[in-house]
Amino acid sequence: MSTLPTENGWNSFQPLRLYEGFWTFPHFLESIILAQHRFKPKPGDIFLCSAPKSGTTWLKALSFAIVTRNLYDTSNSPLLTKGPHHCVPNMVGFEYKPDVRQPGIPLIPTHAPYHCLPKSVLGSDDVKVVYICRDPKDAFVSMFHFAANRRPKENEHIAIEEAFELFCLGRSVFGPAWDHILGYWKASQERPEKVMFLKYEEFMNDSELYVKKLAEFIGYPFSFEEEQGGVVKKLIDLCSFENLSNLDVNKTGKRHEDDDEATNKTFFIKGKVGDWQNHLTPEMANRLDNIVEQKLSGTGLSFELNNGSS
Ligand code: PAP
């Protein structure tokens, strides 16, 4: 670990390390490297993957609601009393608790780039991988506010211009953001039956269509009776930003019982497409759009840039 290139990140107390082309915090890296070598997949495992601030909380909630819908209905779902990150804990902490799965819940979330997933998963035909991405402008703004909220109060936060500069250089948690997206995009093209690629904006636009696609892909399709009975809509409503962000547990609860820093509230800010317009100048937006456009060119993937919708 100590031999990896290290640079200042967005704050002075958490440097970023470069590993296999990606910048991240050392404590994330330990888990990722251990999992790369030691994780043992079980048939039916589902990896929920995302770059930070791209829809992780939402994807966790929806996937959890989908796979547990025969155990709970929407009036007694654990999502009502525990945060989505508590219902579906990340692979971070793998060094302490190698079996990250909750009993009976085959969901394993991670921010690791595709090529840094456990080697056993990359070679497995039994594991499904679902990736959600988001317009990097919105992901950047969301991450900037999250980092500002999480900093020790005695530390001044980096200016948005400075954070943006670093983001455009690829220096952000799990950056470069475009390489993170591209890794999963290419995998979804090569192994479409194993890797599903989703966009936050598309999910927002047509939640019903994408929740059905997600359920089908991960092996929990909705029956005709369920669709007719409005189950899809009920799950969408349960996991909506409006519903989750207004639950007591997500207003005042902690992400982990033993973690005083991370409150669930920090994972629910606005939940909108295009909030970057309130924080980035047109020049900043154009600069990032140009970088992303160039990096994605010729790959068949694009974001509908500059208007905040996908
Ligand atoms: P993480 O990577 O730290 O887990 P992640 O959940 O990916 O965070 O991203 C948080 C963003 O998702 C926030 O966006 P914002 O800052 O632009 O508002 C958060 O509000 C949004 N979000 C959280 N839950 C939902 C949800 N149920 N529906 C839509 N957006 C959501």
Side-chain angles (χ1 to χ4, degrees), residues 53-57 85 111 134 142 200 239 267 269-271:
K53 304 299 154 198
S54 299
T56 321
T57 311
H85 290 282
H111 285 318
R134 187 179 191 188
S142 183
Y200 181 94
C239 299
F267 295 95
I269 307 297
K270 288 193 184 166

